[in-house]
Amino acid sequence: MTKITRRELLGNSVLAIAASRTGLPTLGMASADRKLKIVVVGGHPDDPESGCGGTIALHTSLGHDVSILYLTRGEAGIEGKTHEEAAAIRTAESEKACSILGAHPVFAGQIDGDTEINRARYANFAKVLLNEDPDIVLTHWPVDTHRDHRAASLLAYDAWLESGRKFALYYYEVDAGEQTQVFHPTHYVDITQTEGRKRAACFAHVSQQPETTFYMLHDMMNRFRGMECGVKYAEGFVRHTQSLSRDNCVL
C-alpha cells in the first residue's frame, strides 16, 4: 500500500473542495438568464447576515431574489429595553442590513428567547416560508447551543418536508465552536468580493455591538473557510443529501 503524505492528502482535499465548489461560487452562475428565489432563515436579526451575508450579497448582485426570514425580531436582545422597544430597534437594524445586502426582510412572528415548536407553529412557519416560493433555502444548522437557532432549523426542515422537498435545503453556521457545533461544510461560497458588504450589514446591527462581539469571530470564520477552499474569504454550507438538484439550484 502506498503511503500518502499529509501534504498530498491536503492537496487532494483542496482539489476535491475546488471541484465541489463549481456549483457553489454562485447559486445560479451556470444560467444567467434564470433568476432564483432564495430564502435565508435566521433565529434573530443578525444571524443570516453573520452566517451567510456574503453569499446573500453575491447573489443579489447577480439579480437573484433573496428574502431573509427572521423567526423573531430580537425582542430579548437589548439589555434595559422592553421587548417592544428592542423589537422596534432591531427591526429597523434588520431593514438597514437587508438594504445593504439587497434582500427583503420577512418576519415570522415568534418571540426571541421564547420560540416554540408545535403543530400550530409548524403550520404557520410553513405558510410564511412556502409563500416565498423558494428555489433554495438556507437555514441554521440544527446542532446549535441557542434554542432559537434550533427552532428555526427544525421549522425550516419541516416546511421543506411539507413542500415535498421541492426546494434545495442548505445549512449555515454562526459563531462556530461557540454556538454551531460539529459543522463540516460540504459546499463553499467564495465571498472575497462581497465580504465588505457582509461586514457593513452586520455592523448595521449597532445594538449588538458587532465590533466587539460577534463579528470578530465571524471574521475568523470567513478567513478559515477561505483557507479550506483556497480563497481569501468564504462561507461554508452543508447540503441536505436529499435536496433536489433542480437545474442550477445546487448551492
Side-chain angles (χ1 to χ4, degrees):
M1 180 180 292
T2 302
K3 183 178 180 180
I4 300 176
T5 67
R6 181 177 180 274
R7 183 181 296 275
E8 290 170 334
L9 179 61
L10 179 59
N12 290 338
S13 297
V14 170
L15 289 174
I17 289 168
S20 72
R21 239 176 42 234
T22 56
L24 187 60
T26 62
L27 304 184
M29 186 174 180
S31 177
D33 295 332
R34 177 152 187 249
K35 303 306 180 185
L36 300 174
K37 179 56 186 281
I38 304 164
V39 176
V40 184
V41 176
H44 317 93
D46 79 40
D47 285 330
E49 296 90 328
S50 59
C52 44
T55 298
I56 295 169
L58 181 63
H59 292 89
T60 59
S61 69
L62 293 173
H64 298 299
D65 186 4
V66 180
S67 292
I68 298 181
L69 176 52
Y70 301 100
L71 182 59
T72 75
R73 293 178 184 264
E75 292 85 351
I78 305 178
E79 187 176 355
K81 299 290 185 182
T82 67
H83 276 198
E84 293 74 17
E85 291 170 337
I89 292 169
R90 300 198 70 188
T91 296
E93 292 174 344
S94 298
E95 291 170 345
K96 181 176 181 181
C98 284
S99 178
I100 292 169
L101 296 175
H104 315 288
V106 181
F107 296 91
Q110 290 216 43
I111 303 300
D112 181 9
D114 196 26
T115 54
E116 299 176 325
I117 301 175
N118 54 42
R119 185 184 297 272
R121 292 297 192 181
Y122 278 133
N124 291 341
F125 189 85
K127 182 178 179 179
V128 174
L129 177 57
L130 298 182
N131 186 58
E132 296 292 314
D133 194 24
D135 295 299
I136 299 169
V137 170
L138 314 178
T139 191
H140 284 286
W141 180 244
V143 185
D144 194 291
T145 59
H146 202 302
R147 292 175 176 175
D148 293 344
H149 296 178
R150 298 198 300 268
S153 182
L154 292 176
L155 289 165
Y157 173 72
D158 193 76
W160 178 65
L161 295 176
E162 188 68 21
S163 77
R165 299 179 173 88
K166 76 171 188 176
F167 53 80
L169 180 64
Y170 290 82
Y171 297 97
Y172 65 86
E173 58 185 336
V174 292
D175 291 342
E178 182 177 303
Q179 292 187 337
T180 300
Q181 308 286 302
V182 294
F183 186 88
H184 304 290
T186 60
H187 292 72
Y188 296 81
V189 172
D190 179 356
I191 65 163
T192 304
Q193 300 303 314
T194 56
E195 189 277 335
R197 286 175 64 193
K198 172 178 181 171
R199 181 184 295 265
C202 289
F203 275 62
H205 293 279
V206 177
S207 68
Q208 304 306 294
Q209 302 175 335
E211 68 280 1
T212 58
T213 55
F214 69 89
Y215 202 78
M216 292 188 295
L217 178 53
H218 283 272
D219 183 57
M220 288 190 288
M221 287 169 52
N222 296 339
R223 294 174 186 273
F224 179 72
R225 295 306 181 197
M227 286 192 292
E228 285 189 316
C229 63
V231 299
K232 185 174 182 180
Y233 297 111
E235 291 169 341
F237 298 86
V238 172
R239 177 180 179 270
H240 195 294
T241 56
Q242 294 181 6
S243 283
L244 296 178
S245 299
R246 296 175 52 202
D247 300 324
N248 300 311
C249 295
V250 178
L251 191 65

